[in-house]
Structures are given as C-alpha cells and as structure tokens.
Amino acid sequence: MHYNKKQSLVFSKKDATLQWLGSSIGKGFLFLIASFSAVIVFLIFWFIVKDAIPFFAEKGFKEFFTGTNWYPAAEPGEFGALPIFVGTILVTLGAIIIAVPVGICAAVCLSDILPFKIRQIAKPIVEMLAAVPSVAYGFFALVIFAPFLQSLGATTGTNVLNVSIILGIMALPTIVSVAEDALQAVGKDLREGSYALGATRAETLIKVIIPAAASGITAAVVLGIMRAIGETMVVWMASGNAAQIPEPIYNVLQPVRTLTATIAGDMGEADHVIGSMRYHVLFAMAASLLAISFLCNWISEWITTRDP
Amino acid sequence: MNTNKLNVLILSIVFIVISFLCTPCYGEKIVIDGSTTVGPIAKAFAEYYMGKNKGVNVTVSESGSGNGAKSLINGTCQIADMSRFMKEKEFKAAANNGIMPVAHVVALDGLPILVHPSNPIKGLTIEQIRDIYLGKIKNWKDVGGPNLKIVKISRDTNSGTYETFEKLVMNKEKLAKDVEYVGSNGAARQRVQKTKGAISYAGLGFVDKTVKALEINGIYPNQETITSGVYPIARPLFMFTDGYPKLGTELYKFITIYLSEDGQEIVESIGFIPVTSY
C-alpha cells in the first residue's frame, strides 16, 4: 500500500529472490488445489482396495464371482455374490432399454424438430428430473409404483421392472442433455449440405446428423449407464433386495439385490467388527463397482476423444 | 483505521467469549442412536424429558441396533438403543475402547407375524412360518389359505429385529433366496398393507388396522401373552449406556424414565409392553 521505499529500475537481489519465491509459492498453491480432486480419487481407490484385499486373500475369487449363496450374516458366512452382480446388471440393462430410446428420441426432438423457443423451455424441464432427490424417487417406487404393479398382477411390486423404470427415468436427463449437446454440435453446414443434395428432413436426421453425433450420443449413453449403476437409494427401497438370480433370468417381475444396495444395507452391522470377512466383502463389492465405473468412464472418454 | 481494526478485534473476542459462556445455557446433550424398533420409545422419552427439563437437548437417531452398538463403542452416543443383546464381539470391541456397556431393559416386545388384512388365515405354527421363510411352503393354500403366492418379506440382516426372528423362528437356518429385505419396521408394514400375498414381521408397536397379526401356535401377541412368555416370539428391548450413569445426572434421569409411572404409560401408548406389568 505504501510506496515509501526508494524506487529503482533494477531489482535488488533480495527483490528478485522474493519475487521468485512468491511466484513459485503461488504456482505450487494453485497446483495443489488443482490436483486436489485427482488426489481424492487416488485416495478413495487406495482405501477401498486396501480393505478389499484381505477378503480376496482369504476367500480367493471363485466363491465371490461364481457362488450363488449370499449369507454374509450366517456363521460361517457365505459370500457368493454372483446373484448380486446379476441383479445389478439386470436393473442397469432394464434402465438402458427404457432410457436410451426415449432419451435419444427426446434429444433429436429437442435439437432438430421442435422450434427453438419450445426447446429453450423444454430442455431445462427435462434437466429438472435430475434435481429430484433419489429418495423421493425411491419413495414413489415403493409406495405408489409397487402397489400399482401388483394391481396389474405382479406377485410382488418391488422387482426388476419397477427399479428399471425408475432408474430409466433418473438416467433420462443425463442422456437427453448430453446427446442434445452432441446433436447441436453438428454444424449447420452438414445439415444444409444434406438438404442441398435433395435429402428430406428424415433422411438428413437419420443418415447425416445422428451418425455425425454418434460419439457424443454414445458418451451420453455411457453416462446414463453410470448413473443407473451407481444409484443406491432407489434400488435399496424398491428392488426387493432378494439375493437371487431370477428364474428364468428375464423374469422382470422378481426381486433382485444390487451391489450398491448391499453395501448400503449391510454396512451398519458389518463394520463394528472391523476386520471380519463380512466387513471386507463389502469393500470387495465397492472395488468391483469402482472398476465398472472406471471402465465405463474410460470407454466414454475413448469414444468422445477418438477421431471419427 | 487502526481503531477500527481494534474494535473489530475486541468485538469478535467478546462474541467468542459470550458464545463459550453460553454453551452451558443450552445445557447437557444426550445423544441416542440405534434400533428402529426402540427408536419410537427413545423419541417419546426424549419429548417427555425435554418438556419437563428445559435446556436439555436429547437427539435420537435410528440407524439399527448394530450401528447403535458401534456408536456407543466409538463414543459418539451416550445411549445405544438395541432390540437385541450385545454380541460377544461388540463387548470385546467396547472393552478395548474402555467402554463398559450396561444394559437397561426399557420395554418388552413381541414380534407379530403380519399378513394382509384380506388374508383369511388366522394363525400359523412356528414350523409353518419357518417353512415359509425356508421356501418349502410357497403358496397360502398349503397352510389353509387362498391360492395365492406367498411374498416373503424380512427386515434387513442389519437389524436386531431380524436377529431375533432368525434366532426364535428360524433356528438360525438360512432364509430362502427369494426373501425380500426391507430397511425398517415402517417399510415392512408398508409392504404388507399393500401386498395381498405378503408375510412379514415387525415390532409390536407397528401393528395397526392396516395389517393383520397372526396367532402363533394359537396364541395372539398381546401384553398378557408376551409378559407371561407364552407368545413364542418375544424379546426385551434394551438401552445400553457406558457404565451405570452417575446418580443425579441428566443421563441417569433419562435412562430411569421407564421405571416411572409416566414412562410406563409412554411405553404402553406407543404399543410396547412396560417391563413392570406382570
């Protein structure tokens, strides 16, 4: 604030050192902040894997990935998590089957069919679906949707179909938003070029615009999958949590159990005896879940960055 | 400028001192965590106690018996609500942390077996219930009911209610794989009142007109049959403290509410059975 020192054009050695010190502290500080989130990812990874290792070290991989008896509370516990993996895959698959066609159609509609003014109103409304807390979705699924399915003849309303539909709805805003951005990013030149060659609007959409935006749309789908796979509250409330492989496997009216719900549901009883297998098996699940999301993330990264 | 800064400094110091001084005005805090079955009792006691003793703050969380034990062991709560007794492992963990768990039986509870009100079945035997949950009996018609598939609902393995059921009904045999699990007594009742073929179990306080409690071996769960031990699926409900609380403290006053007449009335009013009623 007060420049009462003698001004000189040449920095003294002391000033230069101070300046260097200041700039490197500043840089270091910014670097620390920037690398904070990356460090957190590594820490999460490390802490989960660290607690998953004792499980695999004692039980190996066979029972966990191929066994079908999930009785972690029994003495001795049985840790066959195959039904839980199958349950996770089933509800995610169900959610994709519901959300992807609807989401992509909605994105195409928003970007190329509806007038701009309507789009400006409709897109934020769709994105608002993402703002609804998942426990509200879960409550709806359990209290309203499950009895509704039962009134249509399902034996139990908390089943694969229920969760798939709700997860599908929850994945919609992600898919619509990202896919719509990808479609918008296809320039006017391609659209006008296509029309100039005599293509109709439908032909332009199906043969030019969607293929050109394919990488962005795929990324949208992968993000939607990740949203569905990681959701916990809804599946805990509405999937029935029965650790079984549906019989037959496409019977969507049977209850299943997912990885996320198992971790959330079993943690309380498991972790006061830290070191028990019942505790470590949950970390083995978390590690598997983490591996799946890393894979999905990597795939979407690879798709969006590769050359068309 | 300097005086300004000084003023701000003095002001903030005064604020800090005042806030420190004021902490006792908010009084003692009693933190309770644990079972969703005992939770309603703790909440009713808390309401009653805070009404009588202004300035005492009682917070009640319901995260399951196992979590309650864990919180007590970690020192994050003073009272652990539990619908089962502490396990050996938990006692060991507590002792290692310098915590000496003391059990207070605050009420008795039966575990009614619940079905949909439209279900004509009046009662089942323990063996029949076990066979249903083992998956050997799959249809209500096999136990004299309508031709309807049985939807088996259980509390999650994280709850004391589940452990009571596993011990007293299942003889520790493993439940069938298609048993559905729900996270709370309220959710169990909710599923039963909306599902025609459902069977489930919950704390006695959760029985109302929307669900039907069955007779077990011909005995209906009520105060008399439970306190006399005739109803086969009954249990005491616990609150655990670290050591016996020092006489005269807020914690002591709170944990002994159940011995007073008011306390017993509270326990009864929310559907449980006072320990002194025999």
Side-chain angles (χ1 to χ4, degrees):
Chain A
M1 303 282 170
H2 307 284
Y3 293 98
N4 45 13
K5 263 198 281 176
K6 254 190 192 171
Q7 298 283 314
S8 96
L9 285 175
V10 186
F11 280 139
S12 70
K13 204 165 183 185
K14 193 179 136 205
D15 280 348
T17 328
L18 271 177
Q19 202 170 44
W20 173 83
L21 207 68
S23 82
S24 38
I25 287 172
K27 269 187 202 161
F29 185 62
L30 286 177
F31 177 76
L32 258 182
I33 290 174
S35 54
F36 187 59
S37 49
V39 170
I40 285 179
V41 171
F42 283 114
L43 283 179
I44 289 174
F45 197 80
W46 161 243
F47 279 109
I48 286 178
V49 170
K50 189 184 74 155
D51 269 316
I53 287 169
F55 175 79
F56 291 120
E58 189 170 320
K59 298 269 173 186
F61 294 93
K62 197 173 165 236
E63 188 194 359
F64 185 66
F65 288 109
T66 61
T68 55
N69 291 328
W70 175 256
Y71 294 108
E75 290 287 341
E78 292 185 63
F79 302 99
L82 184 65
I84 298 172
F85 280 100
V86 171
T88 306
I89 292 165
L90 280 177
V91 299
T92 310
L93 213 63
I96 295 166
I97 290 171
I98 289 157
V100 166
V102 177
I104 292 177
C105 288
V108 169
C109 193
L110 281 173
S111 112
D112 281 83
I113 293 168
L114 289 175
F116 185 72
K117 264 190 181 163
I118 295 177
R119 178 205 170 268
Q120 289 303 82
I121 301 164
K123 200 180 175 190
I125 291 177
V126 172
E127 282 167 351
M128 249 169 65
L129 275 178
V132 178
S134 59
V135 67
Y137 279 108
F139 191 72
F140 173 79
L142 179 67
V143 176
I144 295 162
F145 202 51
F148 173 70
L149 288 174
Q150 280 160 196
S151 72
L152 295 182
T155 311
T156 172
T158 51
N159 54 29
V160 178
L161 183 67
N162 183 335
V163 177
S164 293
I165 291 172
I166 303 293
L167 285 183
I169 293 170
M170 292 176 78
L172 263 185
T174 315
I175 296 177
V176 173
S177 184
V178 177
E180 204 264 354
D181 285 342
L183 289 166
Q184 284 286 309
V186 176
K188 238 185 173 161
D189 44 349
L190 272 181
R191 287 186 169 86
E192 281 167 2
S194 172
Y195 292 137
L197 288 169
T200 63
R201 202 174 181 186
E203 283 168 336
T204 307
L205 262 176
I206 295 163
K207 294 187 175 163
V208 179
I209 298 170
I210 293 178
S215 69
I217 292 174
T218 321
V221 170
V222 175
L223 285 173
I225 293 173
M226 285 170 69
R227 177 86 179 90
I229 247 180
E231 177 49 42
T232 308
M233 206 59 211
V234 167
V235 287
W236 173 237
M237 291 169 85
S239 72
N241 300 306
Q244 60 165 355
I245 298 172
E247 191 75 39
I249 196 157
Y250 50 81
N251 186 350
V252 292
L253 296 178
Q254 297 231 328
V256 292
R257 194 179 183 94
T258 68
L259 287 169
T260 48
T262 305
I263 296 171
D266 274 5
M267 207 47 175
E269 189 67 14
D271 73 345
H272 60 84
V273 266
I274 288 173
S276 70
M277 279 305 116
R278 199 177 165 191
Y279 173 79
H280 289 302
V281 72
L282 297 181
F283 280 89
M285 290 189 152
S288 316
L289 206 56
L290 206 61
I292 295 169
S293 344
F294 267 98
L295 198 71
C296 282
N297 216 345
W298 181 78
I299 290 171
S300 80
E301 196 91 334
W302 178 72
I303 288 167
T304 42
T305 54
R306 75 176 172 165
D307 291 326
Chain B
M1 187 183 172
N2 259 340
T3 43
N4 227 336
K5 267 188 182 169
L6 201 68
N7 280 342
V8 171
L9 190 72
I10 289 171
L11 211 63
S12 45
I13 288 173
V14 167
F15 265 118
I16 290 168
V17 169
I18 286 176
S19 56
F20 267 109
L21 286 176
C22 253
T23 318
C25 339
Y26 293 116
E28 266 183 79
K29 230 183 133 177
I30 299 175
V31 181
I32 305 174
D33 193 3
S35 163
T36 60
T37 309
V38 192
I41 300 178
K43 276 182 182 156
F45 280 0
E47 209 172 288
Y48 166 80
Y49 194 72
M50 286 191 285
K52 279 188 102 184
N53 301 275
K54 296 273 180 278
V56 181
N57 193 3
V58 185
T59 61
V60 182
S61 316
E62 297 180 1
S63 54
S65 295
N67 275 331
K70 197 184 68 190
S71 301
L72 187 74
I73 293 166
N74 294 340
T76 48
C77 74
Q78 284 111 313
I79 297 175
D81 292 340
M82 296 184 71
S83 58
R84 57 163 171 82
F85 201 68
M86 265 203 186
K87 294 178 189 167
E88 198 187 333
K89 278 176 182 167
E90 288 164 340
F91 268 116
K92 275 184 188 153
N96 286 342
N97 272 15
I99 306 269
M100 298 300 154
V102 171
H104 309 259
V105 177
V106 293
L108 302 176
D109 185 23
L111 225 56
I113 305 295
L114 307 176
V115 295
H116 193 266
S118 73
N119 195 328
I121 297 267
K122 258 192 89 183
L124 293 170
T125 63
I126 288 270
E127 289 73 29
Q128 282 173 323
I129 298 167
R130 190 182 307 139
D131 283 348
I132 286 173
Y133 275 91
L134 287 174
K136 288 182 191 160
I137 298 174
K138 292 182 193 295
N139 197 308
W140 283 110
K141 70 171 189 249
D142 296 335
V143 287
N147 182 9
L148 193 65
K149 257 191 150 181
I150 302 178
V151 178
K152 305 175 280 281
I153 294 161
S154 164
R155 287 292 315 281
D156 55 304
T157 54
N158 199 19
S159 70
T161 311
Y162 166 83
E163 287 180 27
T164 308
F165 182 78
E166 194 201 20
K167 207 170 99 190
L168 297 176
V169 177
M170 300 308 293
N171 268 339
K172 298 235 162 197
E173 279 185 82
K174 284 167 189 157
L175 272 62
K177 284 180 191 166
D178 60 344
V179 171
E180 295 183 27
Y181 293 88
V182 294
S184 68
N185 281 310
R189 179 177 61 191
Q190 203 281 332
R191 289 283 293 132
V192 172
Q193 69 196 22
K194 292 278 168 65
T195 312
K196 286 213 167 91
I199 184 168
S200 185
Y201 56 89
L204 193 65
F206 289 85
V207 179
D208 58 15
K209 282 181 200 151
T210 61
V211 291
K212 183 167 140 189
L214 293 181
E215 287 177 358
I216 309 300
N217 301 343
I219 292 148
Y220 188 82
N222 59 31
Q223 176 157 334
E224 207 190 309
T225 56
I226 288 170
T227 41
S228 60
V230 184
Y231 185 75
I233 326 170
R235 57 176 174 178
L237 299 177
F238 301 95
M239 287 189 184
F240 276 86
T241 52
D242 172 21
Y244 200 83
K246 197 169 169 249
L247 303 185
T249 56
E250 303 286 354
L251 188 60
Y252 172 79
K253 287 184 210 154
F254 184 87
I255 204 82
T256 49
I257 292 176
Y258 74 96
L259 293 170
S260 69
E261 213 164 293
D262 286 355
Q264 286 163 23
E265 263 168 35
I266 291 170
V267 166
E268 234 177 320
S269 72
I270 50 178
F272 296 100
I273 294 157
V275 276
T276 47
S277 67
Y278 41 83

